[in-house]
Amino acid sequence: QVQLVESGGGLVQPGGSLRLSCAASGSISSIYAMGWYRQAPGKERELVASITSSSRTSYADSVKGRFTISRDNAKNTVYLQMNSLKPEDTAVYYCSTQPGPWDPFMYWGQGTQVTVAS
Protein backbone atom coordinates (compact mmCIF):
# COMPACT_ATOMS: atom_id res chain seq x y z
CA GLN A 1 0.00 0.00 0.00
CA VAL A 2 1.52 3.29 -1.08
CA GLN A 3 1.66 6.11 1.44
CA LEU A 4 1.11 9.66 0.28
CA VAL A 5 2.28 12.90 1.91
CA GLU A 6 0.96 16.22 0.67
CA SER A 7 2.68 19.55 1.25
CA GLY A 8 2.71 23.10 -0.04
CA GLY A 9 -0.58 24.42 1.25
CA GLY A 10 -0.99 27.73 3.01
CA LEU A 11 -2.66 31.12 3.05
CA VAL A 12 -2.59 33.09 -0.19
CA GLN A 13 -4.36 36.20 -1.45
CA PRO A 14 -6.86 36.01 -4.30
CA GLY A 15 -5.01 35.94 -7.59
CA GLY A 16 -1.98 34.31 -6.03
CA SER A 17 -0.33 30.96 -6.69
CA LEU A 18 0.65 27.86 -4.79
CA ARG A 19 2.29 24.59 -5.77
CA LEU A 20 1.23 21.46 -3.96
CA SER A 21 3.40 18.36 -3.83
CA CYS A 22 2.45 14.76 -3.17
CA ALA A 23 5.32 12.44 -2.30
CA ALA A 24 4.67 8.71 -2.56
CA SER A 25 6.45 6.11 -0.45
CA GLY A 26 7.07 3.92 -3.48
CA SER A 27 7.27 4.02 -7.22
CA ILE A 28 4.37 5.71 -8.98
CA SER A 29 5.46 4.78 -12.49
CA SER A 30 3.19 1.73 -12.62
CA ILE A 31 0.18 3.42 -11.01
CA TYR A 32 -2.50 4.05 -13.64
CA ALA A 33 -3.34 7.55 -12.43
CA MET A 34 -2.67 10.04 -9.67
CA GLY A 35 -5.19 12.63 -8.65
CA TRP A 36 -5.78 15.70 -6.55
CA TYR A 37 -9.06 16.03 -4.70
CA ARG A 38 -10.30 18.81 -2.50
CA GLN A 39 -12.92 19.13 0.19
CA ALA A 40 -14.32 22.42 1.42
CA PRO A 41 -16.24 22.68 4.72
CA GLY A 42 -19.74 21.31 4.33
CA LYS A 43 -19.08 20.05 0.81
CA GLU A 44 -18.31 16.69 -0.72
CA ARG A 45 -14.83 15.76 -1.80
CA GLU A 46 -14.35 16.54 -5.48
CA LEU A 47 -11.76 15.49 -8.04
CA VAL A 48 -9.80 18.54 -9.13
CA ALA A 49 -7.25 17.05 -11.50
CA SER A 50 -5.77 13.73 -12.51
CA ILE A 51 -2.85 12.49 -14.55
CA THR A 52 -2.30 9.02 -15.98
CA SER A 53 0.95 7.10 -16.29
CA SER A 54 1.06 8.27 -19.91
CA SER A 55 0.66 11.88 -18.68
CA ARG A 56 -2.86 12.33 -19.97
CA THR A 57 -4.47 14.99 -17.79
CA SER A 58 -8.02 15.82 -16.80
CA TYR A 59 -9.40 18.80 -14.89
CA ALA A 60 -12.58 19.88 -13.21
CA ASP A 61 -14.27 22.69 -15.13
CA SER A 62 -13.84 25.00 -12.14
CA VAL A 63 -10.03 24.88 -12.37
CA LYS A 64 -9.38 24.50 -16.11
CA GLY A 65 -6.87 27.06 -17.31
CA ARG A 66 -5.74 27.85 -13.77
CA PHE A 67 -4.41 24.57 -12.34
CA THR A 68 -1.80 22.25 -13.84
CA ILE A 69 -1.09 18.73 -12.65
CA SER A 70 2.24 17.06 -13.36
CA ARG A 71 4.21 14.05 -12.22
CA ASP A 72 7.88 13.25 -11.76
CA ASN A 73 8.23 9.47 -11.73
CA ALA A 74 11.92 9.70 -10.83
CA LYS A 75 10.98 11.52 -7.61
CA ASN A 76 7.72 9.59 -7.07
CA THR A 77 6.00 12.93 -6.75
CA VAL A 78 2.92 14.55 -8.21
CA TYR A 79 2.43 18.30 -8.30
CA LEU A 80 -0.50 20.66 -8.56
CA GLN A 81 0.38 24.16 -9.72
CA MET A 82 -2.45 26.49 -8.80
CA ASN A 83 -2.59 29.96 -10.33
CA SER A 84 -5.16 32.76 -10.21
CA LEU A 85 -6.50 31.37 -6.97
CA LYS A 86 -9.99 32.32 -5.87
CA PRO A 87 -11.63 32.24 -2.43
CA GLU A 88 -13.77 29.32 -3.62
CA ASP A 89 -10.57 27.27 -4.04
CA THR A 90 -10.26 27.21 -0.26
CA ALA A 91 -10.29 23.58 0.86
CA VAL A 92 -8.21 20.72 2.14
CA TYR A 93 -6.42 19.20 -0.84
CA TYR A 94 -5.75 15.47 -0.94
CA CYS A 95 -3.59 13.31 -3.16
CA SER A 96 -4.81 9.89 -4.23
CA THR A 97 -3.98 6.96 -6.46
CA GLN A 98 -5.97 5.02 -9.04
CA PRO A 99 -4.14 1.70 -9.37
CA GLY A 100 -5.86 0.59 -12.57
CA PRO A 101 -8.25 2.07 -15.15
CA TRP A 102 -11.27 0.34 -13.57
CA ASP A 103 -10.29 1.02 -9.96
CA PRO A 104 -11.61 3.84 -7.83
CA PHE A 105 -9.21 6.36 -6.37
CA MET A 106 -7.80 5.05 -3.11
CA TYR A 107 -4.90 5.47 -0.67
CA TRP A 108 -5.37 9.03 0.45
CA GLY A 109 -2.83 11.32 2.04
CA GLN A 110 -3.50 13.41 5.16
CA GLY A 111 -4.29 16.51 3.14
CA THR A 112 -2.93 20.04 3.04
CA GLN A 113 -4.98 23.15 3.77
CA VAL A 114 -5.26 25.84 1.11
CA THR A 115 -6.86 29.11 2.17
CA VAL A 116 -7.45 31.91 -0.31
CA ALA A 117 -8.34 35.12 1.45
CA SER A 118 -7.36 38.76 1.63
Side-chain angles (χ1 to χ4, degrees):
Q1 176 177 337
V2 64
Q3 293 184 336
L4 305 170
V5 179
E6 301 95 335
S7 62
L11 173 63
V12 63
Q13 292 186 342
S17 298
L18 283 174
R19 188 177 82 152
L20 306 183
S21 299
C22 170
S25 59
S27 174
I28 65 170
S29 60
S30 62
I31 295 175
Y32 173 73
M34 303 288 294
W36 283 98
Y37 280 73
R38 68 185 181 187
Q39 187 167 23
K43 295 188 176 181
E44 294 187 355
R45 190 174 295 187
E46 63 170 342
L47 180 61
V48 173
S50 64
I51 184 167
T52 68
S53 54
S54 59
S55 295
R56 185 174 72 250
T57 58
S58 177
Y59 298 92
D61 288 342
S62 58
V63 306
K64 280 182 182 177
R66 300 189 297 122
F67 290 10
T68 302
I69 188 171
S70 61
R71 62 193 289 167
D72 185 337
N73 289 341
K75 295 183 178 180
N76 297 321
T77 301
V78 178
Y79 304 97
L80 186 68
Q81 178 67 44
M82 306 186 295
N83 299 328
S84 302
L85 282 162
K86 304 175 181 180
E88 51 263 43
D89 294 319
T90 296
V92 179
Y93 284 71
Y94 299 90
C95 180
S96 186
T97 64
Q98 184 183 15
W102 311 114
D103 294 323
F105 275 93
M106 59 183 70
Y107 306 132
W108 305 89
Q110 83 290 347
T112 185
Q113 176 70 47
V114 172
T115 302
V116 184
S118 54

